């Protein structure tokens, strides 16, 4: 499983990226705004 950190200024984009990656074999380890 690949681990990723999602960083984007927009909360909507972070949620979209998180949902997209969770459909594949990625572990979301965290999120950051900037």
């Amino acid at each position: 499983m690949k681990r990723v950190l999602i960083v984007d200024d927009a909360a909507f984009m972070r949620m979209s990226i998180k949902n997209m990656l969770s459909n594949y074999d990625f572990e979301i380890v965290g999120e950051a705004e900037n």
Side-chain angles (χ1 to χ4, degrees):
M1 180 175 283
K2 297 177 184 175
R3 297 170 53 190
V4 296
L5 172 66
I6 298 172
V7 180
D8 196 289
D9 290 341
F12 175 78
M13 283 305 298
R14 290 193 309 271
M15 186 180 356
S16 296
I17 294 168
K18 184 177 173 180
N19 290 338
M20 189 183 332
L21 292 177
S22 66
N23 291 331
Y24 299 96
D25 197 24
F26 288 93
E27 176 187 1
I28 310 302
V29 296
E31 297 180 30
E33 189 172 333
N34 57 23

